[in-house]
Amino acid sequence: MLRAVYPGSFDPVTFGHLNIIQKAAYFSEELIVGLLSNNAKSPLFSIEERVNMLREVTKDYANVRVEVFDGLLIDFARSQNANAIIRGLRAITDLDYELQMSHTNHRLDPNIETIFMNTCTEYSYISSSMVKEIATYRGDVTGFVPQYVVGKLEEKFVGK
Ligand code: ADP
């Protein structure tokens, strides 16, 4: 049985992320969604806003927990007694970087296995950056993110 961490920036959480969470939770005794706080990207949402959105949209999953972490992913995984790291694949272009990360993490701790998952096809092209781009220009993002997140995006861009 997996005890897995699913790390990411989740700026904001999308239906693509949620689809991975749903699949990974099904195979896991516990799934810990790890929100990386020391990310070099300049985020739209603060850590508090992102953690709140993640907790809201995952509240119906009894075995999913959301935690914030910084530092090395492998250290976070160890701190959670995880035996697996879940990463999502959107396209073949993700694979080079993800394989490199997976080999590195395996070298750092061979007891923690990286597992790649893909989404159902209707979510495979969705990315947080695309959602933010559309929301900036007041486009309709209802097909890409949960309604709760739609509201948070509207609050960000209201009056701008
Ligand atoms: P990161 O900065 O680590 O890429 P993201 O929040 O963008 O953080 O993504 C977290 C994880 O979710 C990554 O493994 C990413 O590949 C995966 N992911 C994001 N969107 C999708 C999607 N539409 N389909 C499959 N995987 C996805």
Side-chain angles (χ1 to χ4, degrees), residues 50-87:
R50 282 182 272 159
V51 90
N52 286 342
M53 285 188 278
L54 273 169
R55 288 196 173 132
E56 175 64 29
V57 302
T58 58
K59 67 182 180 201
D60 292 335
Y61 296 97
N63 62 338
V64 173
R65 182 156 59 78
V66 181
E67 298 290 344
V68 177
F69 77 102
D70 60 12
L72 286 179
L73 170 59
I74 206 76
D75 289 336
F76 173 65
R78 274 199 202 112
S79 75
Q80 302 297 313
N81 294 316
N83 56 14
I85 293 167
I86 305 290
R87 291 294 287 171

Side-chain angles (χ1 to χ4, degrees), residues 3-118:
R3 187 177 164 77
V5 298
Y6 175 44
S9 320
F10 306 105
D11 184 41
V13 58
T14 68
F15 282 141
H17 297 127
L18 267 180
N19 195 234
I20 301 270
I21 290 171
Q22 184 183 15
K23 289 186 187 196
Y26 178 79
F27 292 106
S28 304
E29 163 196 329
E30 186 169 35
L31 178 69
I32 301 107
V33 178
L35 175 53
L36 181 61
S37 69
N38 62 341
N39 198 315
K41 301 173 197 168
S42 56
L44 174 66
F45 290 100
S46 70
I47 290 294
E48 291 70 27
E49 289 171 320
R50 282 182 272 159
V51 90
N52 286 342
M53 285 188 278
L54 273 169
R55 288 196 173 132
E56 175 64 29
V57 302
T58 58
K59 67 182 180 201
D60 292 335
Y61 296 97
N63 62 338
V64 173
R65 182 156 59 78
V66 181
E67 298 290 344
V68 177
F69 77 102
D70 60 12
L72 286 179
L73 170 59
I74 206 76
D75 289 336
F76 173 65
R78 274 199 202 112
S79 75
Q80 302 297 313
N81 294 316
N83 56 14
I85 293 167
I86 305 290
R87 291 294 287 171
L89 292 177
R90 277 166 289 218
I92 198 74
T93 44
D94 285 341
L95 200 58
D96 253 356
Y97 172 75
E98 292 294 341
L99 274 180
Q100 195 183 355
M101 285 294 297
S102 144
H103 290 311
T104 307
N105 284 327
H106 194 262
R107 186 69 191 257
L108 292 173
D109 192 331
N111 296 318
I112 301 178
E113 191 66 30
T114 299
I115 297 175
F116 297 117
M117 289 189 170
N118 54 13

